[in-house]
Amino acid sequence: MKTSIIIGMQWGDEGKGKIVDVLAKKTDAVARYQGGANAGHTVVINNKKFVLHLLPTGVLQNKISIIGNGVVVDIEELLNEINMLKKQGINIKDLFISERASILLPTHKILDRTKEKSRGKNKIGTTKKGIGPAYIDKYGRKALKMGDMRNKKLFIEKLKKYIHNFNNNEVKFYKIKKVNEKEFIEKILIMRKHILKYIVNTDFLARNLENKNILFEGAQGVMLDIDFGTYPYVTSSHPVSLYAFAGTGIPFRKNFNVIGIVKAYTTRVGEGVFPTRMSKIDEKNMRKKGGEFGATTGRPRNCGWLDLFALKYAAFLNNVNKIALTKMDILSDTKYINVCIGYKKGNKKIDYYPYTNELNKVKPIYKKMKSWTSKDMENLKNGKIAKPIKDYIKLIEKYTNAKVSMLSTGPRRKDIIYLEKL
Ligand code: IMP
């Protein structure tokens, strides 16, 4: 399989983990390029469920696994994850973390919780994993980088400066507990010992990957992108495909796929505009049937109909040429299915994807479609595609101008149907 970028096309939770896992088998390396432990990529292997937050899903296939410079690395969470996998019989071998990636410290998580609280009813609904504060430090040029760990003396000096600033600024401003310098540094240095071996030079890594096929694993989704999503109810990184190379330091390739992961309906966690949100009763049913609870936070996800207008925007922006459609089974045996084919502002149809202030005012235009049965889902395994399923796929292809190449019909590795070879 050629180099591919996998992105979530909606508001995250499209089922990327499982698709990356099955495609990782066909590639040399898997690379995370943005976000942090806010992600929750779920993979089921032999009835065992693995939820990865920070490690690239490629670790489950023993592939070269890269955490790129665009990621904010929660070192505490990373070690927990490595240990959790060890306990389940998976030993991490080929993990490489860019020395240019920023470190997410425990203080970032404290700040995330505190800031959310102070926002009151205007809260963003973050995962409280410290993502926003870690990126603020990165772009404020105050972050500690993974590469700083290499020189212990310098690292301690930088940590002291960081804690001094934290205790004199954020602690006073938010009226939170001071950090005990000695305890904090001791704790970080223990983690450093276990992590050092994974840290690599970004340029060196890129050169060694020159002739390898890479699977870039996007976290979250296009509609949560800091620039292109529903700002300010977004994450603080760039889930878009455009960032895959920038977030890893791997030079731009000439020939690659962009595989968009689309859930057959839409979900969203946290706050923010959600044009195709379902009625309370439909949402309740969908949440139950689809098991729509956050993999990282356990929060109930809001559910809505498939938004083809948003998908059209996401597909165009990201140059998506292939689609993996997930959770088709959840829509089976329903009375009807709605799909949004456009937005209306007042009585006028709009022909561009609007910015949040305007998006708040739009009304979705729905097309009612016939549902398929669980029997139809079974028949998919024998290569028979029932008409309502075909129609659904065709409509998605029409709006996205991309080929639906894969259908995921359940959580296990084998619950997958290829409609073309990838
Ligand atoms: P943050 O990334 O924790 O700062 O959260 C910002 C917004 O992104 C919130 O609405 C979160 O619910 C959402 N978010 C972050 N990560 C994910 C994810 O992996 N799946 C779905 N939503 C996410």
Side-chain angles (χ1 to χ4, degrees):
M1 193 182 75
K2 64 177 160 188
T3 287
S4 300
I5 304 172
I6 296 209
I7 53 162
M9 295 272 275
Q10 294 149 314
W11 278 275
D13 308 319
E14 297 89 356
K16 293 178 288 290
K18 143 121 188 241
I19 304 293
V20 175
D21 176 57
V22 295
L23 292 181
K25 213 175 165 188
K26 305 167 186 246
T27 192
D28 300 314
V30 178
R32 277 278 309 265
Y33 59 90
Q34 45 71 230
N38 48 348
H41 294 169
T42 309
V43 181
V44 178
I45 308 169
N46 300 331
N47 292 326
K48 254 198 211 166
K49 186 170 157 183
F50 298 86
V51 183
L52 299 179
H53 299 287
L54 205 50
L55 286 168
T57 304
V59 294
L60 300 177
Q61 298 273 16
N62 278 321
K63 297 289 171 171
I64 297 171
S65 297
I66 299 150
I67 296 182
N69 51 279
V71 175
V72 282
V73 186
D74 180 338
I75 46 178
E76 205 172 17
E77 186 86 39
L78 180 73
L79 288 174
N80 284 344
E81 233 170 279
I82 293 173
N83 287 335
M84 180 269 292
L85 287 183
K86 211 181 253 169
K87 273 191 202 138
Q88 290 182 279
I90 294 172
N91 274 314
I92 306 292
K93 284 199 299 277
D94 289 329
L95 174 66
F96 301 96
I97 307 174
S98 164
E99 62 183 354
R100 290 174 188 266
S102 300
I103 302 177
L104 189 148
L105 292 163
T107 40
H108 292 124
K109 286 184 268 193
I110 298 172
L111 276 181
D112 199 359
R113 284 196 295 271
T114 311
K115 285 180 173 212
E116 272 292 84
K117 218 168 155 196
S118 72
R119 287 184 188 115
K121 64 176 181 23
N122 295 322
K123 71 175 198 287
I124 289 167
T126 73
T127 58
K128 302 201 175 85
K129 295 287 180 183
I131 305 301
Y135 278 108
I136 288 175
D137 276 354
K138 170 177 171 169
Y139 289 104
R141 290 165 289 186
K142 290 191 296 185
L144 277 94
K145 297 282 181 170
M146 293 303 287
D148 287 329
M149 285 194 184
R150 286 216 169 114
N151 182 327
K152 190 174 171 189
K153 195 165 158 260
L154 212 65
F155 185 52
I156 294 174
E157 269 171 34
K158 287 194 177 185
L159 274 173
K160 280 186 178 166
K161 195 171 158 206
Y162 173 84
I163 297 163
H164 179 80
N165 277 335
F166 182 80
N167 281 342
N168 281 293
N169 295 302
E170 281 90 344
V171 165
K172 285 187 182 154
F173 185 79
Y174 290 109
K175 299 189 177 61
I176 49 178
K177 216 175 135 207
K178 262 189 164 181
V179 166
N180 178 309
E181 186 190 276
K182 191 166 170 277
E183 279 171 21
F184 190 85
I185 293 181
E186 262 171 25
K187 193 174 156 190
I188 302 292
L189 289 183
I190 294 172
M191 296 187 220
R192 171 185 171 268
K193 256 196 213 157
H194 297 283
I195 284 178
L196 263 181
K197 59 175 179 275
Y198 301 116
I199 303 173
V200 290
N201 174 277
T202 310
D203 178 44
F204 176 80
L205 182 65
R207 284 174 199 279
N208 276 293
L209 292 167
E210 211 177 348
N211 298 313
K212 302 228 184 302
N213 284 329
I214 299 167
L215 196 63
F216 292 94
E217 179 180 14
Q220 291 83 47
V222 173
M223 304 309 280
L224 287 172
D225 186 276
I226 184 83
D227 278 330
F228 302 105
T230 46
Y231 191 88
Y233 300 100
V234 290
T235 190
S236 298
S237 69
H238 290 292
V240 287
S241 64
L242 308 159
Y243 195 70
F245 298 101
T248 50
I250 291 166
F252 191 74
R253 301 226 165 156
K254 287 192 185 72
N255 183 13
F256 59 91
N257 280 325
V258 181
I259 306 173
I261 315 298
V262 177
K263 180 146 66 181
Y265 49 96
T266 314
T267 56
R268 171 156 210 185
V269 257
E271 308 300 315
V273 54
F274 186 1
T276 64
R277 189 163 179 191
M278 293 169 170
S279 66
K280 285 263 172 306
I281 180 83
D282 282 338
E283 179 174 74
K284 202 172 157 208
N285 292 335
M286 187 67 73
R287 187 180 289 143
K288 190 164 172 226
K289 198 170 169 194
E292 294 298 350
F293 296 89
T296 300
T297 58
R299 290 179 293 177
R301 296 176 184 145
N302 301 331
C303 301
W305 300 109
L306 186 69
D307 187 340
L308 287 173
F309 197 62
L311 276 189
K312 183 178 171 181
Y313 163 70
F316 179 68
L317 173 69
N318 291 279
N319 226 348
V320 169
N321 61 336
K322 311 278 176 197
I323 282 177
L325 192 53
T326 64
K327 289 196 145 177
M328 286 289 278
D329 50 320
I330 308 301
L331 282 186
S332 59
D333 303 315
T334 45
K335 271 195 220 130
Y336 63 93
I337 297 171
N338 276 336
V339 281
C340 166
I341 51 169
Y343 290 166
K344 252 194 330 196
K345 211 177 125 195
N347 282 327
K348 255 188 151 171
K349 257 175 100 169
I350 55 175
D351 56 6
Y352 52 89
Y353 203 80
Y355 169 61
T356 317
N357 295 347
E358 206 181 346
L359 188 63
N360 278 324
K361 297 183 187 136
V362 302
K363 289 260 172 311
I365 305 165
Y366 285 119
K367 177 182 165 88
K368 212 170 212 148
M369 299 193 65
K370 220 179 134 206
S371 167
W372 44 89
T373 62
S374 27
K375 182 92 195 298
D376 292 333
M377 289 307 298
E378 276 299 308
N379 284 340
L380 274 176
K381 288 174 197 150
N382 312 319
K384 271 195 232 150
I385 312 182
K387 184 160 184 311
I389 297 181
K390 250 188 211 158
D391 291 345
Y392 208 67
I393 291 175
K394 262 198 209 145
L395 203 62
I396 292 172
E397 290 182 334
K398 181 178 154 196
Y399 276 78
T400 57
N401 204 18
K403 169 98 181 102
V404 174
S405 315
M406 298 166 87
L407 293 178
S408 166
T409 55
R412 296 163 307 174
R413 271 179 172 162
K414 63 178 187 181
D415 300 328
I416 199 116
I417 287 142
Y418 289 91
L419 302 178
E420 69 166 348
K421 199 167 168 268
L422 275 179

